[in-house]
Each structure stands twice: as C-alpha cells, then as structure tokens.
Amino acid sequence: MDPLSIKGAYLFSPRIHGDKRGSFHEWFRHDGFVETFGQSMNLAQANASTSARGVLRGVHFADVPPGQAKYITCVTGAVLDVVVDLRVGSPTFGQWEATRLDDQNRRCLYIAEGLGHAFLSLEDGTTVVYLCSEQYNPGHEHGVHPLDPDLAIEWPSDVEPTLSPKDAEAPSFVDAQRTGLLPDYQGCLDYYAKLGMTI
C-alpha cells in the first residue's frame, strides 16, 4: 500500500493476472493489511452501490470513536474517488486528494476513521464496493457539501453532478467546523493507537 498525501489514506494497486478468459486479482489481503498497519481491519459491513454517470456521493464521515474506516474499489465502470481531511488540527486539515478507481486499473483505496469520502461516477452502471470497519449508524453519520467552494474539490467539468437530497442539504465545510461536527485530529490519533493501528 502506498500512502497518499493525507495521513490515514492509502492506495493499493493489485497485481492483475489476465489471459483470454479475463482477469483475476486479489483486491484485499489480510497479511498485506497487517504488514502496513500492524493490525487487521475489523470487517463489520460490506457495501455496494451502482450509479449512473454524474452521481456524486458524499462527502461522508462518521463520529470518532468509533468512526468508520473504508476499503474501496470500483468493480464496474469508473469513479473519481476523493479523500478529504476533515480532522480539525490535522496538518492537512481541509485538503483533499482525488484518485481514479476503475475496472481497468483495479486500484483500491483505504480511508481511516475521521476522513471524509466522496466519489463521482464517470460512467453509467458504475459499481463501487467497499468494506467498512463499523456498521452504518445513522445517528453518528454526517456529511459536508461536496460542491462547497471552500473545499474547492476539482470535479471533472464535463460531468454534471447529481446529488441525493441528503447530500444536497449537507452543511458547508465552515458550518460543519463551526458547529463542532467535524472530528478532532488528536482524538482520531488516540483512537488509532487504541486500535493498535499504525497510520
């Protein structure tokens, strides 16, 4: 796994074995995860979403603790996947990093607890699957508006975004910080240490 510029986000590029029948790859390996983080990822839930071109999901995050770490890949189509550092006090607070995940490169993205996550579907019928360290808990799940000019995420200009009503009504980055909605960086670090994770 290769670290991104935001601490707690990693990109994994699997080795793809292909022949005339198709291809095979390992998109998650327990031993590789332990080697990187010192402990296995707790698997509590596995999600799949299928999206038309232009569907924009996020920016989503959860209260820490327990938060919700995610391990994401795109099995059909393509997405622009974005990690946003929403941890108040982090050296990269407010910064984001985008990665293309698609059914050709088969890359995977790991996002630690406390980080924000969003993705834009670039093709009709795009399917994204992800493993989650905690089950969905609606009372502790939050969002920040993905088109907020203060975040200034550079979404592709040739794709018209479609948001769910919930994401369209999400607070701005500034309002989420002002109201104390965002996770605390030191609190996240303490929680990672409690889990035995080396981030």
Side-chain angles (χ1 to χ4, degrees):
M1 287 192 183
D2 298 314
L4 300 185
S5 62
I6 296 172
K7 188 173 184 179
Y10 291 78
L11 188 64
F12 172 61
S13 299
R15 183 177 178 185
I16 301 171
H17 307 275
D19 59 28
K20 63 183 180 181
R21 300 170 300 161
S23 68
F24 171 86
H25 69 283
E26 297 172 343
W27 75 281
F28 178 81
R29 283 277 307 241
H30 171 265
D31 57 351
F33 196 91
V34 171
E35 183 180 327
T36 301
F37 301 108
Q39 179 176 316
S40 180
M41 177 177 175
N42 178 48
L43 176 57
Q45 185 170 317
N47 297 337
S49 68
T50 301
S51 304
R53 175 179 165 86
V55 169
L56 176 52
R57 301 178 187 268
V59 175
H60 300 149
F61 66 100
D63 292 334
V64 180
Q68 190 184 61
K70 297 176 182 175
Y71 188 77
I72 306 133
T73 194
C74 179
V75 296
T76 306
V79 295
L80 185 69
D81 200 293
V82 176
V83 181
V84 183
D85 194 344
L86 300 176
R87 302 166 300 185
V88 178
S90 167
T92 53
F93 177 63
Q95 296 180 26
W96 56 271
E97 187 164 352
T99 303
R100 181 184 171 99
L101 305 179
D102 60 41
D103 57 14
Q104 299 301 307
N105 65 40
R106 301 293 185 185
R107 293 189 294 193
C108 306
L109 189 64
Y110 173 75
I111 300 173
E113 295 88 347
L115 294 175
H117 177 239
F119 64 83
L120 176 70
S121 173
L122 303 176
E123 300 177 10
D124 285 334
T126 291
T127 299
V128 171
V129 296
Y130 44 107
L131 309 178
C132 302
S133 65
E134 296 290 335
Q135 295 180 42
Y136 175 68
N137 186 337
H140 296 276
E141 303 282 336
H142 309 288
V144 171
H145 202 290
L147 303 178
D148 185 341
D150 286 327
L151 284 180
I153 298 172
E154 295 176 7
W155 301 108
S157 59
D158 63 335
V159 181
E160 184 67 29
T162 301
L163 279 66
S164 71
K166 181 179 178 181
D167 288 344
E169 295 169 4
S172 69
F173 177 59
V174 170
D175 284 346
Q177 182 181 8
R178 181 179 51 80
T179 58
L181 198 62
L182 302 181
D184 173 71
Y185 181 59
Q186 187 58 55
C188 288
L189 292 181
D190 293 343
Y191 187 65
Y192 304 153
K194 182 180 178 181
L195 294 176
M197 300 286 284
T198 304
I199 299 294

